[in-house]
């Protein structure tokens, strides 16, 4: 048996932080976390330098990106990470290293890591909603990630929010939902709040701060998020909904309130009565494990 058959390198590229590590038999080693700015500086060289320095050989490369990736591995649109847009990372890495290369949306790694670790024996379908720098979603149907024909399925963050305020998105459209419910949205709300009131708060206190001047921003955040999640649950009837990401996993986020609001917008009696909502338990390292399982699920 080839000793490196089960050894892969996984990159999880986020809008703010990027992590990577080698995974063998579902165990991670050499885990690193860096600021994503380094990718904007180095571009493709960021990946090749790390792979070149990985000792012991690898049998596959998996990269999760906050972007739309076509089925040929070309990164079509990365509104929050422009330096890797339009590159065909897959062809480039495949040619250089002669191993299978999978490039997919970062949220697919997040959902698959969580699902494979905790839920795969009890559920065949799942919806993942992740609120970090942007807003991303992913769907598992019959134990596999549903990528769509073009790798662009379930891109809820760039669906138009009907009650928006005519704000332009980095993707070129206006009023994409992630402009209203994401880490980027919180930054804008806090900036506007400071301009209006002179008061300064950090993102960590946005949800716990009791100032009524913040209420309109909290309402925009929750209304748009509830609109997106309840729409996806009504469409897919997944049975299991995992919600996570930096904003949601922060200490003071009112997760129970969010779930109640989503439930009040679900179709009754189903899917409402048969949908479980879970807070994401995983962390950066587990997304890397998710990449490993994703690789194995495609490679079977
Ligand atoms: Zn957009």
């Amino acid at each position: 048996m080839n000793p490196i058959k089960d050894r892969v390198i996984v990159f999880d590229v986020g809008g703010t932080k990027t992590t990577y590590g080698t995974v063998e038999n579902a165990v991670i080693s050499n885990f690193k976390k860096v600021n994503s700015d380094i990718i904007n500086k180095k571009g493709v060289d960021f990946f090749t330098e790390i792979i070149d320095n990985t000792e012991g050989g690898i049998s596959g490369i998996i990269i999760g990106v906050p972007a739309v990736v076509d089925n040929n591995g070309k990164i079509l649109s990365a509104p929050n990470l422009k330096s890797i847009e339009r590159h065909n990372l897959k062809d480039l890495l495949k040619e250089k290293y002669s191993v299978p290369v999978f490039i997919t949306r970062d949220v697919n790694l997040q959902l698959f890591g969580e699902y494979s670790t905790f839920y795969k024996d009890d559920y065949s379908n799942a919806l993942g909603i992740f609120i970090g720098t942007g807003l991303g979603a992913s769907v598992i149907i019959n134990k596999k990630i549903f990528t769509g024909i073009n790798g662009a399925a379930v891109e809820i963050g760039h669906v138009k929010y009907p009650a928006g305020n005519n704000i332009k998105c980095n993707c070129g459209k206006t009023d994409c939902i992630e402009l209203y419910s994401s880490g980027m949205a919180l930054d804008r709300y806090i900036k506007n709040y400071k301009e209006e009131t002179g008061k300064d708060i950090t993102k960590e206190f946005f949800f716990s701060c009791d100032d009524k001047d913040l209420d309109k921003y909290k309402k925009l955040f929750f209304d748009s998020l509830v609109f997106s999640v309840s729409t996806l649950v009504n469409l897919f009837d997944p049975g299991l909904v995992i919600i996570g990401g930096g904003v949601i996993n922060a200490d003071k986020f009112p997760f129970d309130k969010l779930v109640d609001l989503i439930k009040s917008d679900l179709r009754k009696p189903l899917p409402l009565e048969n949908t479980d909502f879970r807070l994401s338990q995983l962390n950066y390292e587990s997304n890397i494990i998710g990449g490993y399982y994703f690789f194995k699920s495609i490679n079977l």
Side-chain angles (χ1 to χ4, degrees):
M1 195 175 95
N2 184 342
I4 63 163
K5 190 169 178 280
D6 198 42
R7 193 160 186 271
V8 298
I9 186 163
V10 184
F11 295 86
D12 179 18
V13 179
T16 311
K17 295 269 184 276
T18 290
T19 58
Y20 57 93
T22 313
V23 187
E24 187 168 10
N25 296 322
V27 177
I28 189 168
S29 58
N30 307 318
F31 177 78
K32 295 255 165 52
K33 179 157 92 170
V34 297
N35 196 306
S36 296
D37 286 347
I38 193 167
I39 300 177
N40 278 329
K41 281 195 202 106
K42 291 191 169 182
V44 175
D45 289 347
F46 168 77
F47 300 98
T48 55
E49 281 175 18
I50 291 164
I51 297 167
D52 287 344
N53 287 320
T54 301
E55 289 174 6
I58 48 167
S59 56
I61 300 165
I62 303 98
I63 304 177
V65 287
V68 174
V69 184
D70 76 9
N71 282 343
N72 297 318
K74 189 165 182 177
I75 295 167
L76 297 180
S77 167
N80 303 322
L81 208 64
K82 288 280 181 191
S83 65
I84 53 170
E85 205 168 73
R86 316 311 296 184
H87 278 294
N88 193 323
L89 265 181
K90 184 174 177 173
D91 278 359
L92 201 145
L93 297 176
K94 216 170 160 180
E95 207 167 287
K96 189 165 161 63
Y97 299 102
S98 302
V99 295
V101 178
F102 292 110
I103 301 186
T104 188
R105 292 193 305 126
D106 54 353
V107 287
N108 292 337
L109 300 193
Q110 287 174 274
L111 177 59
F112 214 65
E114 187 98 11
Y115 174 78
S116 304
T117 308
F118 300 111
Y119 302 109
K120 69 177 188 309
D121 294 335
D122 299 321
Y123 295 88
S124 297
N125 307 298
L127 165 69
I129 304 285
F130 299 97
I131 302 117
T133 307
L135 169 68
S138 173
V139 161
I140 288 170
I141 297 175
N142 292 330
K143 296 185 180 275
K144 302 243 177 185
I145 294 279
F146 175 68
T147 59
I149 295 287
N150 302 299
V154 212
E155 184 69 311
I156 192 75
H158 295 277
V159 168
K160 190 179 178 81
Y161 181 49
N165 301 324
N166 204 26
I167 296 175
K168 194 139 180 75
C169 181
N170 285 335
C171 78
K173 303 197 314 150
T174 51
D175 284 342
C176 293
I177 292 176
E178 79 168 15
L179 294 170
Y180 299 95
S181 46
S182 65
M184 288 184 302
L186 291 189
D187 287 338
R188 192 180 74 250
Y189 295 152
I190 288 167
K191 187 168 162 272
N192 292 351
Y193 169 75
K194 190 181 177 182
E195 281 168 12
E196 288 161 13
T197 66
K199 288 180 261 184
D200 225 345
I201 56 161
T202 62
K203 255 197 283 199
E204 288 68 35
F205 288 96
F206 179 85
F207 295 105
S208 60
C209 180
D210 228 358
D211 190 335
K212 65 174 175 27
D213 290 327
L214 270 177
D215 286 354
K216 64 181 174 187
Y217 297 118
K218 287 181 187 169
K219 182 170 166 36
L220 255 184
F221 181 93
F222 282 109
D223 283 356
S224 54
L225 184 56
V226 168
F227 168 77
S228 51
V229 181
S230 59
T231 301
L232 287 172
V233 175
N234 281 336
L235 285 174
F236 283 99
D237 187 15
L240 172 66
V241 181
I242 298 166
I243 306 178
V247 171
I248 301 289
N249 289 107
D251 270 356
K252 296 184 170 68
F253 186 85
F255 181 74
D256 293 340
K257 175 187 167 180
L258 172 64
V259 171
D260 287 345
L261 289 169
I262 295 166
K263 283 182 171 174
S264 68
D265 266 11
L266 290 185
R267 182 159 166 75
K268 300 169 187 64
L270 294 169
L272 172 67
E273 288 175 10
N274 199 19
T275 304
D276 287 340
F277 289 86
R278 304 291 176 89
L279 179 64
S280 166
Q281 302 172 57
L282 292 185
N283 53 32
Y284 285 113
E285 290 195 29
S286 318
N287 296 347
I288 302 297
I289 301 282
Y292 163 85
Y293 282 119
F294 189 46
F295 178 84
K296 284 180 72 94
S297 80
I298 290 171
N299 227 6
L300 286 173

